[in-house]
């Protein structure tokens, strides 16, 4: 019985996990480092404890014990795919809300995971431990220790291979503490399509359909959707069976994701398994009605899955846009600052998972993901229309962000007709063009509202600018 | 009715605009055209009969305007001309930003103040706000005393630089 959970994370995912835990009557313990002292995830928890780092496994386990928690939810990122952390929890008598340590370890090794899946009869992308035959170029060099584009190189010919191996190895070593790299066949114009899986401790496994995550920048997803416009009912059955075979091959316990790449002819290959809750999990929740965090907690409590595969079906279409504090037009450089205006979009079928609000400080300390805007609608066309409207209603000022860029991307004809692949942004340079004319109305409001005087700089650490647009001074409650 | 002139830099162009305004309504003059406007609330404006949603933040000379789903970055042009009418940036006048009550003066006639020094505290809508010196200089005039009710835009204090009064208008 889980009564109290320490959430070993921050930002939107810590808040999202806390929602379900509180719905289940479970007490929540937030952890935070100094820059996050006033963050929203800290305010929403029943208890909050300061730690020195979100990556310090032993300190977090100790904090959980001290607070009387009986379980830890790792969220995504940070320690979520750290087998040692999962083990440390179990040794301390804490339930780790995630898979077993041996699963995390086997799937965290990108070569080992391919070997396991190949044995289970799942198609994998060809890999080589040294130089592949000349005919196989171009190839990708990848890190054994992790993903996210780090330690990854596209190599066009044999001559470039040695340099690419060396530089990828250096980068992998810095990013994952593991310098091992391998060579993989490069699939041209691939789509990235993944399957959500759930497995319990009693050997049952189901999948909750696919998510297409082909719109990426620097190998990181920015727009996800389900169902995938590329997945036919037949392909869904084939890929779903492969995802279930992958889950069974490692006796998967918990919520996980089996990632595939799909080539333009519709052939699919196992890429990797992510042994955690995925950033884009809400689109699955919107179309299946599941609460994946609740499922995770029930599985971790030892319960059997409440659903058989035949109980699950998808309704309508869901899209997610990741709102980042970054400037896409300036090579996606991250931006920092204080959020001065934060006006949420609302209306039917709209969900905003956010870690920030008005007054939040966005610093260089953490990932620039601010929020996720998720919409549901009966059809793909309606979901795109709804997302455009929601992005247009979403006001976030004080920190540069990608809201308008996302709207330009989903407004392209190719996005509308579902012609997606991971090189989409490379082929659509027009989405980086910002119209440079300024309407008279914009000059008018800038000239009229609050522009009479220069506003003095805020003192450092100023957090809650309780201001409105008429004001150009500093305010405090009296 | 107040009138003021502002200079913006848009791309490599410098744009001068003039606003005549009273209680949130008025006219906006830009490059030979005149548009009537009416502020409806803190985030809606009617311009030539059409309504727009907006948000504005100012940070030094950079203003960020969100208007109907699009964001514009406007740079205030350097204020070298000294042609501001009524309040303009860089003048020595400190104006009330909201209607309210003057609670306290933290600088008085004859005091030397630094740029951005707090010179007064006001109260409006149960909130306190501080007024700051727009320039460094000497306080030459204080027009209200604590307890007085002040209207938005009223000049609370005048500051003079060593070079004389920077502000040339009124």
């Amino acid at each position: 019985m889980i009564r109290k959970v320490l959430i070993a994370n921050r930002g939107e995912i810590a808040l999202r996990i806390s929602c379900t835990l509180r719905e289940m009557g479970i007490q929540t313990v937030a952890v935070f480092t100094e820059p996050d002292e006033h963050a929203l995830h800290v305010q929403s928890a029943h208890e909050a404890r300061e730690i020195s780092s979100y990556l310090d496994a032993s300190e977090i386990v100790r904090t959980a014990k001290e607070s009387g928690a009986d379980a830890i939810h790792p969220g995504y990122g940070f320690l979520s795919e750290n087998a040692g952390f999962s083990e440390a929890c179990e040794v301390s008598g804490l339930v780790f809300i995630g898979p077993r340590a041996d699963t995390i370890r086997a799937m965290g090794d990108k070569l080992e995971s391919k070997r396991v899946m190949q044995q289970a009869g799942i198609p994998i992308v060809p890999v080589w431990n040294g130089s592949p035959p000349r005919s196989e170029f171009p190839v990708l060099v990848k890190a054994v220790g992790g993903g996210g584009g780090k330690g990854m190189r596209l190599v066009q010919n044999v001559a470039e291979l040695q340099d690419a191996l060396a530089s990828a190895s250096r980068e992998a070593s810095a990013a994952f503490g593991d310098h091992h790299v391998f060579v993989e066949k490069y699939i041209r114009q691939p789509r990235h399509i993944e399957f959500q899986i759930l497995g319990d401790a009693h050997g049952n496994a189901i999948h909750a359909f696919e998510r297409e995550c082909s719109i990426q920048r620097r190998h990181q997803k920015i727009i996800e959707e389900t169902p995938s416009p590329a997945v036919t009912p037949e392909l869904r059955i084939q890929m779903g069976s492969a995802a279930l075979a992958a889950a069974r091959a490692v006796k998967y316990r918990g919520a996980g994701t089996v990632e595939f790449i799909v080539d333009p002819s519709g052939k699919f290959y196992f890429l990797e398994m992510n042994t955690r809750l995925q950033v884009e999990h809400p689109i699955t929740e919107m179309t299946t009605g599941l609460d994946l965090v609740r499922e995770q907690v029930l599985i971790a409590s030892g319960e059997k899955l409440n659903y058989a595969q035949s109980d699950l079906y998808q309704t309508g279409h869901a899209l997610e846009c990741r709102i980042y504090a970054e400037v896409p037009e300036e090579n996606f450089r991250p931006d920092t600052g204080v959020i001065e205006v934060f006006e949420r979009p609302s209306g039917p079928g709209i969900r905003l998972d956010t870690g920030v609000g008005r007054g939040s400080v966005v610093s260089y300390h953490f990932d620039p993901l601010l929020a996720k805007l998720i919409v549901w609608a009966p059809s793909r066309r309606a979901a795109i229309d709804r997302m455009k409207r929601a992005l247009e209603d979403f006001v976030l000022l004080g920190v540069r962000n990608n809201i308008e860029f996302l709207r330009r991307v989903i407004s392209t004809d190719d996005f509308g007709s579902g012609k997606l692949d991971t090189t989409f942004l490379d082929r659509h340079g027009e989405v980086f063009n910002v119209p440079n004319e300024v309407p008279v109305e914009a000059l008018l409001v800038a000239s009229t509202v609050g522009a009479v005087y220069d506003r003095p700089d805020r003192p450092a650490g100023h957090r809650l600018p309780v201001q409105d647009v008429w004001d150009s001074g500093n305010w405090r409650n009296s | 009715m107040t009138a003021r002139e502002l200079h913006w830099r848009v791309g490599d162009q410098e744009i001068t605009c003039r606003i005549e305004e009273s209680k949130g309504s008025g006219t906006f003059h830009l490059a030979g055209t005149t548009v009537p406007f009416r502020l409806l609330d803190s985030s809606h404006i009617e311009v030539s009969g059409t309504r727009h949603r907006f948000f504005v933040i100012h940070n030094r000379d950079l203003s960020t305007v969100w208007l109907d789903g699009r964001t514009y970055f406007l740079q205030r042009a350097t204020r070298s001309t000294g042609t501001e009418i009524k309040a303009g940036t860089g003048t020595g006048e400190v104006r009330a930003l909201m209607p309210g009550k003057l609670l306290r003066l933290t600088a008085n006639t004859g005091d030397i103040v630094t740029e951005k020094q707090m010179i007064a505290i006001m109260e409006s809508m149960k909130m306190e706000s501080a007024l700051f010196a727009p320039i460094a200089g000497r306080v030459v005039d204080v027009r209200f005393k604590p307890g007085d009710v002040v209207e938005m835009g009223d000049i609370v204090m005048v500051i003079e630089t060593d070079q004389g009064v920077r502000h040339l208008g009124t």
Side-chain angles (χ1 to χ4, degrees):
Chain A
M1 182 72 187
I2 292 173
R3 291 189 187 84
K4 190 169 185 177
V5 172
L6 182 143
I7 302 166
N9 217 299
R10 63 181 303 279
E12 66 85 19
I13 195 61
L15 281 150
R16 188 265 165 271
I17 292 163
S18 148
C19 287
T20 293
L21 294 179
R22 287 180 290 125
E23 284 163 20
M24 297 177 82
I26 295 170
Q27 294 282 305
T28 59
V29 182
V31 290
F32 63 96
T33 60
E34 195 269 324
D36 267 346
E37 190 183 347
H38 300 277
L40 293 185
H41 83 271
V42 179
Q43 295 167 15
S44 75
H46 292 115
E47 273 176 49
R49 290 177 180 249
E50 186 166 357
I51 53 171
S52 58
S53 164
Y54 292 104
L55 287 165
D56 189 331
S58 54
E59 184 187 21
I60 289 172
V61 168
R62 198 165 61 241
T63 305
K65 294 301 282 183
E66 282 167 11
S67 67
D70 32 42
I72 291 183
H73 196 305
Y76 56 69
F78 294 126
L79 294 167
S80 61
E81 292 177 282
N82 182 313
F85 183 55
S86 172
E87 252 162 18
C89 289
E90 274 170 43
V91 169
S92 307
L94 292 162
V95 174
F96 178 75
I97 302 176
R100 288 182 313 274
D102 61 316
T103 311
I104 299 175
R105 194 166 284 126
M107 296 301 104
D109 181 322
K110 302 305 169 197
L111 266 183
E112 171 67 7
S113 66
K114 283 192 168 68
R115 195 188 59 76
V116 170
M117 295 309 160
Q118 192 170 28
Q119 270 183 357
I122 299 160
I124 65 160
V125 182
V127 293
W128 298 274
N129 222 333
S131 186
R134 212 167 268 275
S135 60
E136 297 289 351
F137 281 85
V139 295
L140 274 180
V141 174
K142 284 184 157 184
V144 170
K150 296 194 178 75
M152 194 188 287
R153 296 285 183 281
L154 174 61
V155 184
Q156 297 292 348
N157 53 57
V158 185
E160 294 171 11
L161 186 63
Q162 286 313 315
D163 281 352
L165 286 169
S167 78
S169 176
R170 282 193 301 273
E171 198 172 291
S173 180
F176 310 116
D178 178 350
H179 68 276
H180 291 96
V181 292
F182 63 97
V183 182
E184 185 180 278
K185 172 118 186 96
Y186 177 63
I187 309 286
R188 283 173 201 273
Q189 299 207 339
R191 298 175 88 111
H192 177 119
I193 297 173
E194 61 188 28
F195 271 69
Q196 175 69 50
I197 54 166
L198 289 165
D200 66 20
H202 309 278
N204 305 301
I206 54 174
H207 73 78
F209 310 103
E210 80 277 9
R211 294 183 286 255
E212 168 141 19
C213 317
S214 296
I215 308 294
Q216 305 186 352
R217 60 114 174 89
R218 293 192 193 142
H219 307 289
Q220 286 193 337
K221 304 159 187 169
I222 56 170
I223 300 171
E224 301 98 347
E225 66 180 296
T226 187
S228 161
V231 176
T232 60
E234 297 73 41
L235 185 57
R236 186 168 294 115
I237 289 167
Q238 287 173 32
M239 291 180 77
S241 308
L244 283 179
R248 294 203 182 95
V250 291
K251 299 187 181 65
Y252 197 84
R253 186 199 70 195
T257 296
V258 184
E259 295 192 341
F260 297 100
I261 54 174
V262 180
D263 74 14
S265 74
K267 265 165 74 181
F268 66 91
Y269 309 89
F270 170 84
L271 192 64
E272 61 182 49
M273 185 189 264
N274 294 318
T275 54
R276 57 171 152 83
L277 189 65
Q278 205 87 333
V279 177
E280 58 274 20
H281 76 275
I283 56 173
T284 299
E285 297 184 325
M286 299 291 266
T287 49
T288 61
L290 289 170
D291 177 339
L292 292 170
V293 175
R294 180 179 280 259
E295 298 304 324
Q296 285 187 299
V297 173
L298 296 176
I299 291 165
S301 308
E303 292 194 19
K304 281 188 178 165
L305 286 176
N306 282 313
Y307 312 90
Q309 189 65 55
S310 57
D311 295 332
L312 295 187
Y313 57 92
Q314 284 191 295
T315 309
H317 200 96
L319 280 170
E320 174 181 278
C321 281
R322 298 191 188 186
I323 313 299
Y324 282 107
E326 67 182 19
V327 188
E329 304 80 23
E330 294 171 27
N331 205 20
F332 298 100
R333 70 162 174 88
D335 195 33
T336 61
V338 178
I339 297 176
E340 296 190 41
V341 180
F342 189 86
E343 298 284 326
R344 317 167 63 104
S346 59
I350 289 175
R351 165 175 170 180
L352 184 69
D353 284 18
T354 178
V356 297
R358 189 180 185 210
S360 292
V361 177
V362 179
S363 67
Y364 278 119
H365 295 98
F366 306 109
D367 187 86
L369 181 68
L370 299 175
K372 302 178 320 204
L373 179 57
I374 305 116
V375 304
W376 179 92
S379 67
R380 186 170 191 268
R381 183 68 256 165
I384 295 172
D385 289 345
R386 181 164 284 171
M387 180 62 90
K388 279 191 218 167
R389 196 271 296 169
L391 288 167
E392 201 156 301
D393 282 356
F394 195 175
V395 192
L396 201 165
L397 298 181
V399 180
R400 299 284 297 273
N401 59 71
N402 63 344
I403 291 174
E404 287 173 53
F405 174 77
L406 290 164
R407 201 185 53 215
R408 291 197 295 272
V409 173
I410 64 168
S411 300
T412 57
D413 290 345
D414 276 358
F415 190 89
S417 56
K419 284 185 200 138
L420 316 178
D421 66 67
T422 60
T423 65
F424 188 93
L425 294 182
D426 302 328
R427 292 186 292 107
H428 289 83
E430 75 275 14
V431 298
F432 293 92
N433 297 334
V434 186
N436 55 8
E437 75 277 16
V438 177
V440 170
E441 292 82 358
L443 282 163
L444 169 54
V445 293
S447 305
T448 314
V449 180
V452 183
Y453 290 97
D454 284 333
R455 185 173 55 205
D457 290 336
R458 285 206 193 78
H462 182 77
R463 276 181 313 272
L464 283 167
V466 186
Q467 292 174 324
D468 74 8
V469 292
W470 300 101
D471 157 44
S472 56
N474 280 358
W475 293 84
R476 59 181 194 268
N477 276 305
S478 61
Chain B
M1 179 72 68
T2 61
R4 60 179 178 272
E5 224 165 68
L6 285 146
H7 311 281
W8 298 101
R9 192 177 301 286
V10 179
D12 49 9
Q13 249 190 315
E14 196 171 311
I15 294 173
T16 297
C17 43
R18 182 182 155 85
I19 290 180
E20 289 168 16
E21 181 197 353
S22 173
K23 295 191 174 104
S25 287
T27 49
F28 185 63
H29 309 265
L30 172 78
T33 60
T34 298
V35 289
F37 69 89
R38 190 159 64 96
L39 282 162
L40 305 170
D41 59 38
S42 62
S43 59
H44 293 88
I45 191 168
E46 193 180 86
V47 185
S48 306
T50 305
R51 291 174 175 228
H52 303 274
R53 184 177 179 224
F54 73 87
F55 293 89
V56 186
I57 60 171
H58 302 286
N59 191 351
R60 296 194 180 190
D61 284 342
L62 186 71
S63 296
T64 308
V65 178
W66 183 97
L67 181 85
D68 298 335
R70 278 164 183 80
T71 309
Y72 305 94
F73 301 95
L74 304 174
Q75 184 82 34
R76 200 99 53 82
T78 42
R79 22 171 129 112
S80 52
T81 54
T83 56
E84 285 112 329
I85 303 163
K86 285 260 180 173
T89 56
T91 72
E93 290 176 349
V94 185
R95 286 173 186 264
L97 306 162
M98 296 277 282
K101 192 168 76 176
L102 184 67
L103 282 187
R104 197 148 59 89
L105 289 162
T106 53
N108 281 296
T109 309
D111 287 358
I112 302 291
V113 294
T114 57
E115 189 182 339
K116 292 172 186 169
Q117 180 179 330
M118 185 168 75
I119 56 93
I121 296 173
M122 287 191 49
E123 185 196 79
S124 38
M125 300 190 303
K126 293 274 174 205
M127 305 274 281
E128 286 184 14
S129 69
L131 298 180
F132 297 87
I135 57 169
R138 183 189 301 275
V139 179
V140 295
D141 193 8
V142 179
R143 301 189 182 173
F144 291 90
K145 59 183 191 301
D148 285 353
V149 173
V150 180
E151 291 301 318
M152 181 174 157
D154 278 349
I155 297 168
V156 177
M157 193 178 282
V158 180
I159 298 161
E160 223 176 67
T161 62
D162 291 343
Q163 289 80 40
V165 186
R166 272 266 287 275
H167 166 66
L168 303 175
T170 317

